[in-house]
Structure formats: structure tokens, C-alpha cells
């Protein structure tokens, strides 16, 4: 069944939904649906419903909720990916695969060794493309919500923002042999459902020692992601896969 | 330190190594090394050594093993990725990321719903490109061995080849709600170190029911990779990350 993500404003009294603009076009022109046909509508705050089309006018489609779906396809913990700006189109890959793998949000930031700077003039266009990537990946992965994408933060801003999260992890292979080391597994075992987790990944050249120390000072744990050296865009995928495995497949 | 993968033939008596051709060019022209400089040489059967350059002639570099390295950067289980031929350059991504994430070997196969057929005329060139991808990814990830890439198999051949593996898993989301279901976690818990694991992933359209039944008949377990629907090229990355997490980071 075709799935549509509907803004909160469009959910009206008595469980009626108004679909307009692109969704209207898609339903009437692309899918050529008529009254009585069924679609899945996703509410932005996580639940989805099977809806039946009750009216099609010249500008909008009205649908009525028939059955709320309780499929739990969202991660039991909320994971935000803080990614040091990588080169080329690697961030596109992180967004697409990260969405498939269940990320709640993405937080790009400027690290000391980030070679690229995102041009503020092109920022709007870039964000449009990013939002398209995560919307399509959400639909493809049958997710109930679309991850959010925050503005690019300077490193200092990332440190401030990180205070909002219950658990903070940073990928840092250099740390693996110290005595105070906590493995990813030992940390995930302590996380409760519905807690928020921030995973932080450096750009191609990795973090500077100053950055790592600043992250530790605000409460980040340094973890390794296996003994091999991962490219920057692979690290988020390892983090998310491991967290999904730990909470969704390990004790099933 | 620069790392070179050296064929077994080039390891001579008394722990001396001969480097020629591309490696000779790289050492002398690109790196501009001289006698006394150190490199890491990887033996194809898994161990690596720090070596010192003892002689540079017009055609070859001679190096002597100074210290064998026991870094365990290889997975404690051997994982082969059987990938149903996907569209476009997705197999390139599976090779590159799969190598970073620790795969031992790749086994592409023709599934019923594989849209592409690999042209046998272009097979040699394709294999050359594939081998370059896994070699570079191995060097980048600091691995001790380069994964092997097998020839494309018809589906029947995959069934035969699968008999050589201790544990066989296939990604199949349809199966998740049956009573006999074994989760990925419950299966990984039963695997011993050094066992061989075959993970099998369908092409874009997934497996047909006939293919799934044939796989089950030869001993494959069907598993889900989280509750979301993953693209074909993402499934191998989830599998490998989870296996690495389970064996290398969970109980550390």
C-alpha cells in the first residue's frame, strides 16, 4: 500500500486527513486512485494508519483513518548521527543508509580536519536535496518517521548541543588500548529504551587530540568499531547496525 | 608505515622478501624510500611483519622481516558474502564497505530477480576492477588479508557451494513472524570462533519463494536485519557490522 508522510496540520478532527500539493498529484495522477482506495498515512509523531479515500476534489484528497498501525519499525532508542563534514557526496550516503538503518536525526558539523566548507549560499538547495534523500529512504525502508537534518554546526556548537543527549559516543580507534576503555557493547548494555544516543564521527582525517579531549570533557565515551579502520562514511553505518542488532535482534 | 600485500612466492628463505613491479615502483618512485626504511609486508596467509629495506636494485627491492605482528584485525569468524547481482555499481559499494567491515570473501550469484546479467566478455575487466577495490579497501582498513572474489555463480551452484560453510544465513524479512524463527542474535550466540559463515542476500526484488525454500532445504536460516526494509546493498553491511559487534565489541 502506498505510504504518505502527512504534516501534523493536515490531520483534522474525527481522524480525517487532507492531502494536497505533491501528495494530491501523486494519488490522483500517478497512482490514479479513486474514492474507496486505501493508503497508509504517517503522522509526524510516529504512528501510521491505514486510511480510506473518502473524497477527491479539484485540489485535495480527503482520507479517513480506518486502522492505526502499531508496527514497531522505529528503533527503541533515538540515535542522532553527528557527522564531521566529509568530502564529496559521502554525506548523501550517510543520510540514505543511516535512514534505512533507523537514525532519528543527523547533525553535520565542521571539524578541524573537515576539508570542505559548506557554502551558505548553496545551503538551501543542499538542504532540499538532503531532505529528499531521507524522505525517499524513509518510504523505502517503511519507516514511521522521517529523520530530521539539523543545520551545520561549528564544533563548539556541537559540544553545547550534545548536552541534550543521555548517552554520547565518539568513534576513536586510538583509544582502544587504554585501561579505562569501555567497549561499545558494555555501553549499549547500560542504555534504557527511549533514551537518546548521540554518535559522533570525525571527517576523513579523524579528530584532533584537542577535539577528542573536548568531547570527553562534556561526557563522550570513546569507542572502537571493530579492530579495522573504517572510512568516515562507514562508521555511522557500523554504529547504527550494531545498535539495531543489540536492541532489536540480539535478545529476540 | 606503508603496507604492501606480497604474494607467497616472493617470501624467500631466511625471512627475506622480494618486492617488484608495482610495489617496486611505489617504494622507489612514489615513496622515494631508501635502504634502511621500514615497511609492513602482509603474507597472503594472514600474518604481517615490519620489514626493513636491505637492498634496492634496478628491478627489485629486498626487505628483511624485523618483527612479526600479531595484531588481530581479522574477524574471529570467516564471513563470506553471497550477493544476488544488483543493479548499477552497487556491487562496488558492497565490495568496498564489506572489505572494511571484515568480509573474508565475496560470492556474486544470479538470482531469479537479478535484472542485470554480467557479460562474460567483460568479466575479466570487471574482475580486475573488483580486485582493485578490495585491495585498496584492505590497505585502507589495515587488514592482514585481501578478501577473495569468486566467479559469478548461477543460483544452483550457490546451493552446492553453500555446503562448505558451517553456518548459512539468508536475509528474508517475510519470515520474521513465524514460530520457528531464530533471530540473528540467537544464531550468532551458537557460532564458535573460526567457523565459516555464509550470508546470503537477494537482489533488488528480493528472493522468490522457490529460492527461499531451496535455500532452507540446504540448511539456511532466514533472519531479519532489524524491522526496517533495507536496500540490497545495505544488507551485507548490517550483517557484517552486527557480526563484528557480536564477536569483537560486545563482550570486550
Amino acid at each position: 500500500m502506498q505510504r504518505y508522510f502527512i504534516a501534523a496540520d493536515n490531520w483534522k478532527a474525527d481522524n480525517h486527513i487532507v492531502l494536497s500539493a505533491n501528495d494530491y498529484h501523486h494519488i490522483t495522477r500517478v497512482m490514479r486512485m479513486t474514492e474507496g482506495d486505501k493508503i497508509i498515512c504517517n503522522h509526524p509523531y510516529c504512528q501510521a494508519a491505514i486510511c480510506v479515500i473518502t473524497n477527491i476534489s479539484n485540489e485535495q484528497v480527503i482520507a479517513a483513518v480506518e486502522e492505526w498501525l502499531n508496527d514497531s519499525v522505529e528503533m527503541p532508542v533515538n540515535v542522532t548521527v553527528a557527522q564531521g563534514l566529509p568530502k564529496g557526496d559521502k554525506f548523501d550516503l550517510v543520510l540514505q543508509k543511516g535512514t534505512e538503518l533507523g537514525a532519528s536525526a543527523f547533525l553535520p558539523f565542521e571539524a578541524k580536519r573537515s576539508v570542505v566548507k559548506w557554502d551558505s549560499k548553496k545551503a538551501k538547495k543542499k538542504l532540499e536535496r538532503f531532505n529528499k534523500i531521507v524522505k525517499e529512504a524513509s518510504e523505502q525502508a517503511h519507516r514511521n518517521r522521517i529523520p530530521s537534518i539539523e543545520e551545520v554546526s561549528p564544533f563548539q556548537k556541537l559540544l553545547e548541543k550534545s548536552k541534550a543527549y543521555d548517552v554520547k559516543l565518539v568513534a576513536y580507534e586510538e583509544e582502544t588500548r587504554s585501561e579505562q576503555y569501555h567497549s561499545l557493547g558494555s555501553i549499549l548494555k547500560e542504555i534504557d529504551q527511549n533514551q537518546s544516543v548521540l554518535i559522533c564521527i570525525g571527517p576523513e582525517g579523524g579528530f584532533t587530540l584537542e577535539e577528542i579531549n573536548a568531547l570527553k570533557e562534556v561526557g563522550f565515551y570513546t569507542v572502537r568499531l571493530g579492530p579495522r579502520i573504517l572510512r568516515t562514511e562507514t562508521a555511522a553505518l557500523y554504529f547504527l547496525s550494531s545498535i539495531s542488532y543489540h536492541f532489536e535482534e540480539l535478545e529476540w
Side-chain angles (χ1 to χ4, degrees), chain A residues 1-243:
Chain A
M1 215 178 298
Q2 188 65 35
R3 186 177 285 262
Y4 298 93
F5 286 91
I6 313 293
D9 281 358
N10 289 23
W11 294 76
K12 308 294 182 185
D14 298 331
N15 279 331
H16 274 74
I17 302 142
V18 177
L19 298 102
S20 54
N22 284 347
D23 293 334
Y24 173 81
H25 177 82
H26 194 266
I27 288 171
T28 59
R29 300 279 181 269
V30 181
M31 302 297 289
R32 296 173 179 276
M33 289 192 206
T34 55
E35 288 166 18
D37 283 342
K38 289 180 185 179
I39 56 178
I40 293 175
C41 293
N42 280 69
H43 191 281
Y45 312 132
C46 271
Q47 251 188 313
I50 296 178
C51 302
V52 59
I53 294 174
T54 56
N55 185 273
I56 300 181
S57 72
N58 279 340
E59 285 184 347
Q60 56 186 33
V61 170
I62 307 293
V65 170
E66 205 174 66
E67 184 193 346
W68 286 98
L69 296 172
N70 284 314
D71 279 10
S72 164
V73 299
E74 294 299 323
M75 286 259 228
V77 294
N78 292 310
V79 184
T80 295
V81 178
Q83 172 73 54
L85 292 193
K87 289 186 212 166
D89 54 4
K90 286 181 188 167
F91 192 59
D92 291 14
L93 187 79
V94 171
L95 290 174
Q96 189 196 63
K97 300 288 166 241
T99 299
E100 286 176 59
L101 293 168
S104 295
F106 297 92
L107 201 171
F109 68 92
E110 285 167 358
K112 184 99 177 177
R113 293 191 185 134
S114 286
V115 178
V116 291
K117 302 283 171 218
W118 284 357
D119 189 341
S120 61
K121 281 184 235 161
K122 291 181 195 155
K124 204 186 150 212
K125 210 150 190 186
K126 209 183 263 291
L127 198 64
E128 270 171 28
R129 194 182 78 240
F130 290 163
N131 279 316
K132 189 161 178 280
I133 290 171
V134 295
K135 182 170 184 289
E136 287 176 359
S138 297
E139 287 167 353
Q140 192 276 337
H142 293 202
R143 289 191 56 176
N144 287 340
R145 50 179 291 205
I146 303 176
S148 60
I149 305 171
E150 300 192 28
E151 277 179 20
V152 182
S153 294
F155 184 73
Q156 279 302 324
K157 191 81 180 282
L158 168 70
L159 294 179
E160 282 165 38
K161 283 187 176 179
S162 74
K163 290 172 189 159
Y165 296 83
D166 298 314
V167 179
K168 299 184 270 285
L169 304 172
V170 55
Y172 190 55
E173 70 268 10
E174 302 295 322
E175 193 67 47
T176 62
R177 282 163 187 134
S178 80
E179 281 178 25
Q180 297 83 33
Y181 178 64
H182 298 81
S183 73
L184 181 56
S186 69
I187 296 166
L188 294 189
K189 282 174 192 165
E190 300 298 319
I191 295 178
D192 293 325
Q193 294 226 341
N194 296 318
Q195 280 198 309
S196 61
V197 180
L198 181 63
I199 59 177
C200 188
I201 297 144
E204 281 85 359
F207 286 108
T208 65
L209 196 57
E210 290 73 29
E211 285 173 327
I212 285 292
N213 288 335
L215 289 165
K216 282 187 191 169
E217 253 170 49
V218 297
F220 275 82
Y221 290 102
T222 56
V223 292
R224 70 167 205 178
L225 307 173
R228 293 158 296 280
I229 309 297
L230 301 181
R231 283 185 169 84
T232 178
E233 75 276 16
T234 316
L237 315 187
Y238 186 110
F239 257 132
L240 288 162
S241 299
S242 299
I243 294 171

